[in-house]
């Protein structure tokens, strides 16, 4: 019962018009996909709304930033998350995991940042490049970017007990201080 209540709180309560209502129209859900409705009534799905970071009016694709980071030979995984910034609105924080046996260094982090600037431009320069021992992942191997975003924005990452590697979250919090 508690998990069902938590599910309703997490996914439905944010846009709920009337919490006492039993009418499904009062319980919209934000799926996270952007769309437009054409004149003929059909919807065109544009893609994930969380796949871009709006930095000072520039829409930067998270996948492009991650791909630029992966051009550095030592990097095996990359995840970029938006961080609130008082001047630019949002700025990217870039988390990278290195090949097994490699030690983190400022030299590698600088090369990752330089790769992003070289491939995309100075506007995409990460606020920070955080080298982590592993990314927080689901059991299926998907990187949980919401956990990384919460850490970068100094928020509670929520329940991480269902991650395949929940112990890495505390280590990442230490590295991201």
């Amino acid at each position: 019962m508690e998990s069902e209540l938590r599910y309703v709180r997490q996914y439905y309560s944010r846009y709920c018009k009337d919490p006492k209502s039993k009418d499904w129209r009062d319980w919209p859900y934000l799926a996270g996909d952007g769309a437009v409705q054409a004149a003929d009534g059909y919807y065109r799905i544009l893609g994930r709304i969380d796949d871009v970071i709006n930095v000072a009016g520039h829409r930067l694709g998270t996948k492009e930033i991650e791909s630029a980071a992966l051009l550095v030979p030592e990097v095996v995984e990359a995840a970029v998350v938006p961080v609130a910034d008082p001047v630019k609105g949002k700025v990217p924080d870039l988390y990278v995991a290195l090949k097994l046996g490699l030690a983190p260094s400022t030299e590698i982090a600088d090369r990752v940042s330089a790769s992003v600037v070289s491939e995309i431009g100075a506007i995409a320069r990460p606020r920070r490049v955080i080298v982590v021992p592993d990314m927080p992942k689901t059991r299926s191997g998907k990187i949980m970017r919401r956990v990384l975003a919460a850490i970068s924005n100094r928020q509670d990452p929520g329940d991480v007990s269902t991650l395949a590697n929940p112990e890495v979250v505390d280590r990442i919090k230490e590295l991201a201080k």
Side-chain angles (χ1 to χ4, degrees):
M1 183 65 176
E2 173 57 34
S3 64
E4 291 154 1
L5 291 174
R6 186 170 65 88
Y7 184 83
V8 168
R9 262 195 323 272
Q10 179 76 29
Y11 294 105
Y12 289 95
S13 64
R14 181 175 183 181
Y15 301 102
C16 178
K17 297 173 187 166
D18 179 8
K20 294 182 183 1
S21 174
K22 300 291 184 195
D23 184 347
W24 65 270
R25 288 172 288 240
D26 291 331
W27 290 90
Y29 169 67
L30 178 63
D33 292 314
V36 293
Q37 187 176 19
D40 60 7
Y42 285 95
Y43 289 93
R44 174 180 288 161
I45 306 297
L46 300 174
R48 299 290 301 166
I49 60 174
D50 57 356
D51 283 349
V52 293
I53 301 173
N54 195 339
V55 179
H58 298 270
R59 291 174 51 86
L60 304 174
T62 58
K63 298 298 181 228
E64 288 79 7
I65 296 171
E66 291 169 4
S67 294
L70 290 168
L71 292 174
V72 176
E74 294 87 350
V75 176
V76 292
E77 287 183 310
V80 66
V81 296
V83 181
D85 182 83
V87 175
K88 296 181 180 179
K90 300 281 185 189
V91 292
D93 260 7
L94 182 55
Y95 290 84
V96 295
L98 304 179
K99 289 181 179 174
L100 200 59
L102 293 178
S105 70
T106 55
E107 189 263 332
I108 292 173
D110 290 345
R111 284 197 294 122
V112 169
S113 186
S115 179
V116 171
V117 171
S118 170
E119 291 296 311
I120 302 168
I123 193 69
R125 183 186 316 275
R127 177 183 77 139
R128 295 185 304 169
V129 175
I130 302 118
V131 180
V132 297
D134 195 11
M135 300 286 181
K137 295 180 188 150
T138 64
R139 284 179 170 56
S140 65
K142 179 182 169 204
I143 296 173
M144 292 299 294
R145 286 171 177 79
R146 73 159 180 85
V147 172
L148 297 173
I151 291 170
S152 282
N153 286 288
R154 307 278 188 252
Q155 298 170 344
D156 179 14
D159 182 16
V160 295
S161 64
T162 59
L163 294 177
N165 54 352
E167 69 286 347
V168 79
V169 174
D170 287 332
R171 180 73 182 118
I172 293 171
K173 282 182 187 177
E174 287 297 314
L175 293 168
K177 279 187 177 177

